[in-house]
Amino acid sequence: MGTIAVHEFITLDGVYENPSWTFEYGFDPKMGETLGAITSAAKAILLGRTTFEMFAPAWSTRTVEDDPGAPFFNDTMKYVVATREPEVEWANSTWLGAYDPDVIRKLKDEIDGTIYISGSGTLVRALLDAGLVDDLHLFVYPLALGKGERLWSDGVDATELALKEHEVYDNGVVHLDYGPAQA
């Protein structure tokens, strides 16, 4: 049975939208090691349509010489959750249709390994609500934007999590790995 590991770049006030605000902090090599460990365990990628449509043109033409993560994103099977079919194509991609937690449970049953998610906030919120996220990797930047789409929006039910690991990087970013809270 597979597990779902989510990776998000996020501000102190929960904003994950358009993480161009991360650039001024640089990319600590230890962050790359952490992300490499997360993706190296992955056998599949699960994305919402918007993130898929942003990632496809950005990654599909990259090579390992451009970015060491290119083979992972291009060669790994990608599953897209969306009410309508994505408007871009990317090798090794399958459209699953509209969000259905039973479809995701079936995918977890079929994949022996980690299913990796990056971004895809709407999908991640639904998966958290359904208790389908096994690892929530938050890379928290020392910044509060005060505006922008937040991972947890107002009016959602409480989400209880348990801290599994944490790291602090030299650029001020903190990695928090949360899993489901034990009942």
Side-chain angles (χ1 to χ4, degrees):
M1 180 174 186
T3 60
I4 292 180
V6 175
H7 149 239
E8 300 286 353
F9 291 142
I10 193 166
T11 63
L12 289 169
D13 57 348
V15 174
Y16 76 96
E17 178 185 33
N18 183 16
S20 59
W21 39 262
T22 64
F23 298 154
E24 71 180 79
Y25 295 92
F27 194 76
D28 188 302
K30 290 181 182 174
M31 290 171 64
E33 292 172 17
T34 302
L35 287 169
I38 297 166
T39 58
S40 68
K43 302 297 183 204
I45 300 171
L46 181 63
L47 300 169
R49 183 190 50 79
T50 302
T51 302
F52 178 85
E53 289 179 348
M54 289 186 325
F55 277 21
W59 284 103
S60 63
T61 59
R62 288 186 195 172
T63 65
V64 70
E65 290 79 21
D66 299 324
D67 188 306
F72 168 72
F73 282 103
N74 290 316
D75 300 342
T76 304
M77 188 64 198
K78 293 164 281 296
Y79 297 91
V80 184
V81 175
T83 54
R84 62 179 170 82
E85 195 167 357
E87 295 180 8
V88 297
E89 292 186 21
W90 192 6
N92 305 312
S93 299
T94 298
W95 175 45
L96 296 177
Y99 174 74
D100 180 340
D102 291 331
V103 170
I104 305 303
R105 283 183 191 93
K106 184 175 184 244
L107 188 64
K108 283 181 77 170
D109 286 342
E110 293 172 353
I111 294 177
D112 184 24
T114 300
I115 302 167
Y116 172 79
I117 302 174
S118 182
S120 306
T122 301
L123 174 60
V124 169
R125 284 190 289 271
L127 294 170
L128 285 165
D129 188 52
L132 292 169
V133 174
D134 300 287
D135 282 283
L136 178 61
H137 295 276
L138 300 177
F139 289 79
V140 184
Y141 283 73
L143 170 71
L145 289 174
K147 63 181 177 182
E149 190 169 350
R150 289 172 169 73
L151 188 56
W152 282 276
S153 52
D154 289 341
V156 298
D157 290 337
T159 303
E160 291 188 37
L161 302 166
L163 184 64
K164 296 168 77 172
E165 289 183 47
H166 68 282
E167 298 172 86
V168 179
Y169 304 109
D170 289 341
N171 62 355
V173 174
V174 177
H175 167 234
L176 303 169
D177 176 11
Y178 287 103
Q182 300 303 317

